Amino acid sequence: MPAPIRLRELIRTIRTARTQAEEREMIQKECAAIRSSFREEDNTYRCRNVAKLLYMHMLGYPAHFGQLECLKLIASQKFTDKRIGYLGAMLLLDERQDVHLLMTNCIKNDLNHSTQYVQGLALCTLGCMGSSEMCRDLAGEVEKLLKTSNSYLRKKAALCAVHVIRKVPELMEMFLPATKNLLSEKNHGVLHTSVVLLTEMCERSPDMLAHFRKNEKLVPQLVRILKNLIMSGYSPEHDVSGISDPFLQVRILRLLRILGKSDDDSSEAMNDILAQVATNTETSKNVGNAILYETVLTIMDIKSESGLRVLAINILGRFLLNNDKNIRYVALTSLLKTVQTDHNAVQRHRSTIVDCLKDLDVSIKRRAMELSFALVNGNNIRGMMKELLYFLDSCDPEFKADCASGVFLAAEKYAPSKRWHIDTIMRVLTTAGSYVRDDSVPNLIQLITNSVEMHAYTVQRLYKALLDDISQQPLVQVASWCIGEYGDLLVSGQCEEEEPIQVTEDEVLDVLEGLLVSNLSTPVTRGYSLTAIMKLSTRFSSVNRIKKVVSIYGSSIDVELQQRAVEYNALFKKYDHMRPALLERMPIMEKSASNGPTEIVQTNGETEPSVVEPKHLPPVTQPVNQANDLLDLLGGNDVVPVIQNTMPTKPASAGGELLDLLGDLSLSAIPPMTAYNKNGLKIDFTFERANPNPNIAVITIHASNSTEADMTDFVFQAAVPKTFQLQLLSPSSNVVPALNQGTVTQVIRVLNPQKQQLRMRIKLTYTLKGSPVQDLAEVNNFPPQSWQ
Amino acid sequence: MPTGRVCFRVALGSSFRQRGNTVLLFKMQFMLLFSRQGKLRLQKWYVPLSDKEKKKITRELVQTVLARKPKMCSFLEWRDLKVVYKRYASLYFCCAIEDQDNELITLEIIHRYVELLDKYFGSVCELDIIFNFEKAYFILDEFLLGGEAQETSKKNVLKAIEQADLLQEPRHEYFNVPMY
């Protein structure tokens, strides 16, 4: 059997492969050879074969069949075997495989080997990939080696202990005695790893932290070591660009940070050395800056005095001006962490930070953006926003959403004027309109609604924006909504803030209809524009055109659109008298912090309901279509004093209360009553309580007809006093069959928040045997349970 | 599943554990060396992951780093780790560190490793690392242990390697003939 091909030979051969397939073939051939060699339990060449396997593994090929071979190598007496065996174990095995536990015994033996390099291999492997079980088994050995005087082993044992503690935190205690004089070592390797070990212990356990602070007086020791490093002359062994052992310095600074955090005494004890490091460290190379960076992080985290903190921020400020973009990046990251606590100090570097928005590097730009937003305040809002909007224009798409949200938030908090606020929003919508978050649309709508004096200006600007571009959905949605609300201001050319544009009703409707048909519009947007068109029916005169549009969409395949159109159609036909009230201008919305949906409070210049004026009851022939007919019914001299004495409440309009009206019905035992009984027409009321709102009474009327002929065109109307709110749902039919053959039912919901005695005035109209009949009546006999 | 610290949150799909009130976030999770064509030359993992996960991470990270333009800084945020990378000739040296770690000193760690390789091989180039990958690992394992530097003196690391090399059972009377 010829000797297996050497490792380098194999590497050379594989590299000559010109295609992936060729390489695969070579690898498979070699793997087969290696497998048979393993089967033969060949000790001489096992090392060579495993080494080759590791190479092939790095290329991405499976090598699991070599796992056990690694263990055999580790168990061998030859150093060469052990070296490759341990390497193989670290590459091919991990704690997920049960096989790895077989290593434990070998490692234990090797930890006690006579050759320190073998011990080193074992410590390295354990410290790199030891599982918790292995760590538990071998912790004692590691602890022993931590106390040895051999610095080569001691430093490795320290890091191995770190790993053990990470895997099995409960074992931390056992390493405590061994840490006693770790810091009195001269060997830098041991010092460095000891500091790492102490850091790990202090971070993990507050008790350890307290112990090291108080009992071991760690801070003075660390300060002393650090001082020596800085003050001592050139040491060739540890020098990096003129700085003595920067790795050790950084680790000491980090440990000081942990010790000084939330502890006045420790912080004070390290104050001087921190100032010294901060001022004396050479900053021309990366290594010096690495130390300064760690120093800054420490200063900011401990209870340092203000002078030191300012020093730290200034270091960061200088970093920002450094040519090295790595340094700039690190500065921005740190400033972001400190901007909350040291806001004023960071503000001083604002212009530099803003300049970083123009950096080429994505990470730097992102940090600069976040920091810029953190620095925005009432004083600098105009300037900052200019820069940020410019950034929004030109930045990568990945930033736009965050930037847009940031702009909205900042504008909301610090807007110097309403006009500026609207302009800023417009700018964001037009430049990054497709990236704004979904919740921005309702927020913006609310904002616009509440800026009453800006309505004309806003709708004009939005309209112009729509003429330019209808692809950005959030912009289109906000614009549609505004046009629907304020279209009348648009066509009447009332804008004060800028030159009013001349636009006709037809042109506006053209634009809105255009949105409906455009491929760019999403279903949501279409919904917005249909509703907007509908709203304009009470603001524009071209009602017929609107009616036509609405009826067309009654057969739209989009279910949402269809439903809207059908309902709006119904508004035109049967409920035309309600249309103006339903579609009137939205009141100012206040964002309430309390539960659930926005509470809508009418504060928009509506006059307080004063004493109700006497009104004549309308004559019988008055057309049903008159607006607010019903509400007038209750005006009059016979208004019960109860109404007049009530507090002028603001009747809630469409909104919060209505949402409650849609709550579940629940049965409660309220007795039914007869509300009306005249001329053969009888109307009974049955009651239910609406859950969850007990202030709402749900009344179902049952109209029956005992005459010989049907009552056709039957319409039931009701009015309630001003302290109540009424909602009439559609009737089951408008023919009341003769001779009690059936009933017409209709549901009334009455909101009675003040729990006043329920009263109602009803109006009935129908046609009987060809003649129209109309009657009015008052219903006063409501059972107490229906309103209490 | 072993208890103890869950290190690589992303790959393991679990959130990192907190010890008391502090969160331990100083650790190098892995180091990768790869060529400009994306070929892996060395991979050192300090967190337990399956082969499949390692391959996935390697593939994605290599792609991300290779896509970086020369003018960009050496740090990038990747998943919830910080990646520090630097190109030396045709090789990319890439370290993944945790959130609180110091990126600038990691650059120095990378540089120190390159210096060690350079001293050992005498003007190191990618081919040296390809043909002597096991030595690259040995050197790394004398410099770092569990992701932390165990020796800050260049001289001491190289001395240890030299001594260990001498322990290798010679096949030929000349030292520099390959052992395997």
Side-chain angles (χ1 to χ4, degrees):
Chain A
M1 178 82 197
I5 174 177
R6 285 187 195 278
L7 169 65
R8 324 259 178 241
E9 198 65 46
L10 177 69
I11 297 175
R12 204 167 296 130
T13 312
I14 291 177
R15 284 172 63 79
T16 62
R18 270 160 300 172
T19 64
Q20 186 75 8
E22 211 180 315
E23 182 187 276
R24 211 175 309 130
E25 208 183 300
M26 290 179 189
I27 302 265
Q28 273 172 354
K29 193 164 137 221
E30 186 57 38
C31 276
I34 292 176
R35 277 183 137 110
S36 50
S37 182
F38 285 161
R39 269 197 297 273
E40 287 162 24
E41 297 283 339
D42 186 321
N43 289 335
T44 325
Y45 295 110
R46 180 177 289 122
C47 181
R48 183 182 292 185
N49 286 328
V50 169
K52 286 187 287 186
L53 202 53
L54 293 180
Y55 177 73
M56 294 188 288
H57 176 251
M58 184 144 65
L59 292 178
Y61 296 92
H64 47 274
F65 58 90
Q67 285 168 0
L68 273 172
E69 304 301 313
C70 293
L71 296 178
K72 292 179 194 162
L73 284 174
I74 291 172
S76 157
Q77 289 312 307
K78 299 205 197 117
F79 183 71
T80 319
D81 283 355
K82 281 186 190 289
R83 232 182 174 188
I84 294 289
Y86 276 116
L87 179 61
M90 284 192 276
L91 287 174
L92 299 181
L93 289 170
D94 64 61
E95 54 190 57
R96 290 144 178 263
Q97 284 114 7
D98 293 327
V99 166
H100 84 282
L101 285 169
L102 298 171
M103 269 199 289
T104 315
N105 218 36
C106 283
I107 294 184
K108 187 168 192 174
N109 292 336
D110 283 342
L111 284 174
N112 292 301
H113 203 274
S114 48
T115 312
Q116 67 175 18
Y117 296 105
V118 173
Q119 291 172 292
L121 287 175
L123 280 168
C124 179
T125 307
L126 181 60
C128 180
M129 57 160 298
S131 63
S132 340
E133 295 93 328
M134 283 169 75
C135 287
R136 253 184 254 271
D137 287 341
L138 299 169
E141 305 296 328
V142 176
E143 197 259 344
K144 227 167 41 187
L145 287 170
L146 192 51
K147 297 192 282 212
T148 175
S149 52
N150 180 336
S151 48
Y152 177 78
L153 292 175
R154 212 170 181 203
K155 70 187 188 198
K156 289 180 193 274
L159 288 181
C160 202
V162 170
H163 181 83
V164 168
I165 291 172
R166 282 177 179 166
K167 283 298 204 190
V168 193
E170 304 88 72
L171 292 175
M172 197 185 334
E173 295 279 326
M174 74 182 282
F175 293 105
L176 188 53
T179 63
K180 224 154 176 62
N181 46 13
L182 274 177
L183 291 185
S184 40
E185 266 270 1
K186 292 277 180 265
N187 180 296
H188 280 224
V190 177
L191 274 177
H192 185 273
T193 58
S194 304
V195 172
V196 174
L197 175 58
L198 291 167
T199 307
E200 187 74 24
M201 292 168 100
C202 289
E203 266 279 86
R204 274 190 186 262
S205 157
D207 291 333
M208 284 285 181
L209 179 59
H211 167 77
F212 281 117
R213 265 189 197 137
K214 308 264 160 45
N215 306 345
E216 300 293 337
K217 306 221 187 306
L218 209 49
V219 176
Q221 287 186 64
L222 292 168
V223 168
R224 182 182 42 85
I225 298 172
L226 192 51
K227 201 172 217 148
N228 282 339
L229 283 173
I230 304 170
M231 306 301 272
S232 67
Y234 175 73
S235 150
E237 200 176 331
H238 300 110
D239 180 87
V240 180
S241 305
I243 296 181
S244 190
D245 206 338
F247 303 107
L248 181 56
Q249 288 195 37
V250 164
R251 290 318 294 240
I252 290 177
L253 286 163
R254 198 175 292 173
L255 181 52
L256 284 174
R257 175 147 96 243
I258 292 164
L259 290 167
K261 197 170 185 152
S262 320
D263 189 85
D264 289 321
D265 292 331
S266 302
S267 301
E268 204 188 310
M270 57 181 80
N271 207 68
D272 286 344
I273 191 69
L274 289 174
Q276 208 176 348
V277 175
T279 37
N280 290 341
T281 308
E282 182 65 47
T283 60
S284 55
K285 293 253 172 80
N286 179 65
V287 60
N289 289 320
I291 294 175
L292 277 180
Y293 178 40
E294 195 74 38
T295 312
V296 166
L297 291 177
T298 299
I299 292 174
M300 300 316 292
D301 236 12
I302 64 171
K303 301 198 141 211
S304 46
E305 50 178 52
S306 59
L308 204 53
R309 291 183 91 83
V310 171
L311 180 61
I313 304 266
N314 289 345
I315 291 175
L316 292 178
R318 277 205 311 276
F319 273 9
L320 277 180
L321 299 167
N322 197 305
N323 283 330
D324 187 341
K325 47 190 136 28
N326 293 335
I327 310 281
R328 289 206 299 276
Y329 172 90
V330 146
L332 287 170
T333 313
S334 316
L335 284 171
L336 202 53
K337 289 192 204 143
T338 64
V339 72
Q340 302 302 332
T341 45
D342 295 87
H343 191 89
N344 292 330
V346 180
Q347 278 282 1
R348 268 188 261 129
H349 301 280
R350 194 177 65 242
S351 50
T352 325
I353 292 168
V354 167
D355 280 340
C356 290
L357 286 171
K358 306 189 184 89
D359 204 294
L360 293 164
D361 185 303
V362 163
S363 316
I364 290 182
K365 272 203 278 230
R366 175 167 284 283
R367 291 232 166 343
M369 179 183 83
E370 286 168 15
L371 202 45
S372 300
F373 279 121
L375 289 175
V376 171
N377 63 27
N379 294 327
N380 57 35
I381 177 78
R382 282 187 194 268
M384 288 297 274
M385 205 47 82
K386 220 179 5 196
E387 297 284 349
L388 288 163
L389 285 171
Y390 181 73
F391 175 70
L392 182 63
D393 278 343
S394 51
C395 68
D396 297 332
E398 61 185 285
F399 288 118
K400 291 211 192 227
D402 289 331
C403 191
S405 299
V407 169
F408 285 148
L409 248 119
E412 202 174 311
K413 271 204 258 185
Y414 301 113
S417 75
K418 284 229 149 88
R419 160 86 190 254
W420 181 94
H421 197 169
I422 302 280
D423 282 343
T424 305
I425 291 173
M426 288 296 308
R427 179 83 182 273
V428 174
L429 284 178
T430 47
T431 55
S434 11
Y435 297 97
V436 302
R437 291 200 225 284
D438 290 338
D439 62 358
S440 314
V441 173
N443 287 342
L444 290 174
I445 286 176
Q446 191 211 347
L447 182 66
I448 292 168
T449 312
N450 293 352
S451 316
V452 176
E453 62 278 15
M454 303 297 305
H455 285 169
Y457 172 70
T458 310
V459 69
Q460 183 164 294
R461 288 212 56 192
L462 284 168
Y463 178 77
K464 286 200 274 193
L466 270 192
L467 291 177
D468 274 335
D469 173 19
I470 58 166
S471 64
Q472 304 191 88
Q473 299 306 294
L475 169 63
V476 175
Q477 286 165 14
V478 174
S480 312
W481 191 92
C482 283
I483 293 174
E485 276 293 300
Y486 313 121
D488 49 327
L489 300 176
L490 186 59
V491 296
S492 64
Q494 280 182 26
C495 184
E496 282 172 4
E497 299 280 341
E498 64 174 21
E499 185 67 37
I501 57 172
Q502 308 298 330
V503 60
T504 65
E505 290 184 2
D506 276 322
E507 284 170 332
V508 174
L509 287 170
D510 282 342
V511 169
L512 287 176
E513 282 187 51
L515 295 176
L516 275 174
V517 302
S518 165
N519 288 336
L520 297 166
S521 298
T522 62
V524 172
T525 305
R526 292 207 176 93
Y528 269 94
S529 51
L530 186 61
T531 305
I533 292 174
M534 187 58 193
K535 283 195 211 170
L536 290 173
S537 72
T538 54
R539 293 158 174 74
F540 281 6
S541 51
S542 27
V543 181
N544 286 327
R545 177 172 174 181
I546 295 174
K547 271 194 198 171
K548 232 191 287 187
V549 174
V550 166
S551 68
I552 290 172
Y553 280 86
S555 40
S556 161
I557 20 171
D558 179 334
V559 176
E560 169 72 29
L561 225 48
Q562 190 193 104
Q563 179 173 0
R564 285 182 191 225
V566 166
E567 288 174 2
Y568 296 156
N569 249 330
L571 262 188
F572 274 126
K573 300 212 165 68
K574 267 207 271 177
Y575 299 98
D576 207 36
H577 54 281
M578 295 169 87
R579 187 164 50 88
L582 280 175
L583 299 177
E584 71 180 9
R585 187 83 94 230
M586 288 291 262
I588 289 182
M589 303 178 234
E590 267 175 31
K591 260 205 182 125
S592 72
S594 58
N595 41 331
T598 315
E599 255 175 337
I600 293 175
V601 177
Q602 189 151 16
T603 56
N604 188 10
E606 296 269 337
T607 50
E608 305 285 335
S610 51
V611 175
V612 178
E613 286 172 340
K615 277 227 165 73
H616 294 291
L617 296 176
V620 172
T621 50
Q622 208 158 52
V624 180
N625 278 352
Q626 257 182 17
N628 299 329
D629 207 8
L630 289 169
L631 297 177
D632 290 341
L633 287 180
L634 279 176
N637 295 328
D638 48 343
V639 168
V640 172
V642 164
I643 300 177
Q644 280 171 323
N645 287 344
T646 48
M647 300 237 294
T649 48
K650 305 171 168 58
S653 59
E657 310 292 22
L658 268 181
L659 292 175
D660 293 334
L661 293 180
L662 301 172
D664 293 333
L665 304 177
S666 77
L667 293 171
S668 68
I670 305 176
M673 59 175 264
T674 302
Y676 177 91
N677 195 349
K678 223 157 106 177
N679 301 332
L681 177 61
K682 180 154 144 257
I683 298 187
D684 292 328
F685 284 0
T686 55
F687 299 90
E688 279 155 19
R689 276 249 173 261
N691 261 346
N693 192 334
N695 293 334
I696 295 176
V698 180
I699 305 169
T700 309
I701 70 149
H702 307 261
S704 53
N705 170 12
S706 60
T707 69
E708 294 157 351
D710 294 343
M711 292 173 177
T712 55
D713 300 314
F714 175 81
V715 176
F716 172 90
Q717 291 170 293
V720 287
K722 267 210 158 70
T723 56
F724 299 82
Q725 267 242 339
L726 187 80
Q727 185 189 25
L728 264 176
L729 304 187
S730 3
S732 58
S733 138
N734 39 15
V735 176
V736 193
L739 299 170
N740 296 324
Q741 279 165 16
T743 56
V744 166
T745 56
Q746 193 167 5
V747 176
I748 311 170
R749 291 186 204 241
V750 182
L751 175 69
N752 182 9
Q754 294 188 11
K755 301 235 184 263
Q756 302 276 322
Q757 183 186 5
L758 183 54
R759 293 167 53 239
M760 201 183 277
R761 197 165 274 202
I762 62 178
K763 179 168 161 190
L764 306 155
T765 50
Y766 56 92
T767 306
L768 184 63
K769 293 184 191 155
S771 346
V773 181
Q774 195 170 315
D775 197 3
L776 285 161
E778 213 170 331
V779 183
N780 288 327
N781 53 332
F782 285 92
Q785 301 95 307
S786 65
W787 48 269
Q788 270 169 352
Chain B
M1 198 48 208
T3 57
R5 195 176 146 193
V6 173
C7 303
F8 202 135
R9 290 157 272 162
V10 172
L12 298 173
S14 54
S15 53
F16 52 82
R17 306 251 212 93
Q18 282 190 257
R19 305 277 174 238
N21 289 325
T22 60
V23 179
L24 297 163
L25 293 171
F26 308 113
K27 187 178 158 83
M28 183 186 300
Q29 295 211 356
F30 57 83
M31 182 190 285
L32 302 174
L33 265 67
F34 51 90
S35 70
R36 277 192 297 181
Q37 287 76 40
K39 292 215 98 129
L40 200 59
R41 299 300 179 207
L42 186 144
Q43 49 173 335
K44 188 75 189 179
W45 299 85
Y46 295 110
V47 286
L49 292 167
S50 71
D51 241 12
K52 194 163 148 213
E53 285 161 332
K54 287 180 190 168
K55 280 205 175 123
K56 181 159 187 266
I57 291 163
T58 306
R59 196 174 44 234
E60 280 181 33
L61 194 52
V62 166
Q63 237 176 10
T64 309
V65 171
L66 288 177
R68 300 274 286 183
K69 305 195 192 67
K71 287 268 180 240
M72 296 174 126
C73 73
S74 297
F75 316 127
L76 59 100
E77 287 106 33
W78 184 77
R79 303 198 184 175
D80 42 359
L81 291 173
K82 293 201 277 208
V83 172
V84 180
Y85 73 94
K86 191 149 182 207
R87 205 184 105 205
Y88 289 84
S90 59
L91 268 183
Y92 282 90
F93 287 69
C94 196
C95 287
I97 58 176
E98 289 183 349
D99 194 47
Q100 296 293 322
D101 214 343
N102 182 330
E103 297 96 321
L104 299 180
I105 205 73
T106 309
L107 275 176
E108 292 299 319
I109 298 253
I110 291 176
H111 192 71
R112 173 56 62 91
Y113 181 47
V114 173
E115 284 179 324
L116 290 167
L117 290 170
D118 196 52
K119 211 60 202 279
Y120 182 85
F121 287 107
S123 261
V124 68
C125 65
E126 191 183 342
L127 275 178
D128 290 320
I129 300 188
I130 293 170
F131 280 93
N132 300 281
F133 71 93
E134 85 281 6
K135 297 220 170 70
Y137 276 108
F138 296 152
I139 294 168
L140 185 62
D141 286 340
E142 274 304 322
F143 175 40
L144 302 178
L145 199 158
E148 305 279 0
Q150 57 179 287
E151 180 56 68
T152 57
S153 154
K154 236 188 302 188
K155 192 179 86 181
N156 286 350
V157 176
L158 292 166
K159 201 161 69 176
I161 293 286
E162 241 173 82
Q163 298 290 327
D165 281 349
L166 284 173
L167 282 182
Q168 298 206 149
E169 292 76 9
R171 300 252 168 213
H172 291 265
E173 67 186 47
Y174 298 111
F175 174 68
N176 54 5
V177 173
M179 294 295 141
Y180 13 80

